[in-house]
């Protein structure tokens, strides 16, 4: 799975959102950071990011890790990554949706 395509779709969805004025993705030390200029509060922006990530990940075996870092001069900074989760090898007993007990071979 090519994550550059996923990132491209994700950024294009956010660029079309009327609440987001400008968005830029930068990579520092191997971690992608999003710099987002907007006039809305952080809670609303969090919702937009999670919903946009869900649209991109739908039907794919992906997860998103979104973490707010800081706000400076009207620019929100988030550390974000898309990743493919590791295969489970043992049952932890928590009833996970991808539990190895429910796997058919």
């Amino acid at each position: 799975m090519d994550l550059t395509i996923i990132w491209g779709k994700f950024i294009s969805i956010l660029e079309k959102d009327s609440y987001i004025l400008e968005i830029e993705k930068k990579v520092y030390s191997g971690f992608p950071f999003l710099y987002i200029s907007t006039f809305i509060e952080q809670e609303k922006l969090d919702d937009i990011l999670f919903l946009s990530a869900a649209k991109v990940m739908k039907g794919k075996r992906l997860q998103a890790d979104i973490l707010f870092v800081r706000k400076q001069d009207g620019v929100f900074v988030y550390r974000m990554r898309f990743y493919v989760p590791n295969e489970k090898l043992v049952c932890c007993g928590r009833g996970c949706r991808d539990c190895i007990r429910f796997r058919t071979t």
Side-chain angles (χ1 to χ4, degrees):
M1 180 175 306
D2 190 8
L3 292 180
T4 56
I5 296 170
I6 301 298
W7 271 106
K9 290 179 182 179
F10 178 71
I11 297 294
S12 72
I13 287 172
L14 291 175
E15 287 175 338
K16 292 176 186 174
D17 195 298
S18 60
Y19 292 117
I20 295 178
L21 305 174
E22 186 178 347
I23 184 167
E24 185 178 1
K25 177 187 165 201
K26 297 180 182 180
V27 179
Y28 294 107
S29 300
F31 290 102
F33 289 86
L34 294 176
Y35 290 78
I36 304 170
S37 297
T38 184
F39 54 87
I40 59 175
E41 64 276 356
Q42 180 187 345
E43 293 80 21
K44 177 73 174 167
L45 183 57
D46 289 345
D47 292 340
I48 291 171
L49 290 174
F50 283 108
L51 290 174
S52 300
K55 286 180 189 177
V56 172
M57 294 183 308
K58 186 173 182 166
K60 297 171 183 66
R61 202 179 146 112
L62 282 176
Q63 290 185 355
D65 184 22
I66 304 171
L67 179 69
F68 173 75
V69 177
R70 69 177 182 275
K71 178 184 177 186
Q72 184 176 4
D73 301 327
V75 176
F76 290 89
V77 180
Y78 285 86
R79 187 182 79 198
M80 182 176 173
R81 69 182 182 122
F82 290 104
Y83 64 96
V84 179
N86 293 332
E87 286 285 328
K88 293 186 91 172
L89 300 176
V90 295
C91 175
C92 63
R94 294 187 205 141
C96 304
R97 64 180 171 89
D98 60 343
C99 184
I100 193 166
R101 291 183 302 161
F102 305 125
R103 188 181 302 159
T104 58
T105 55

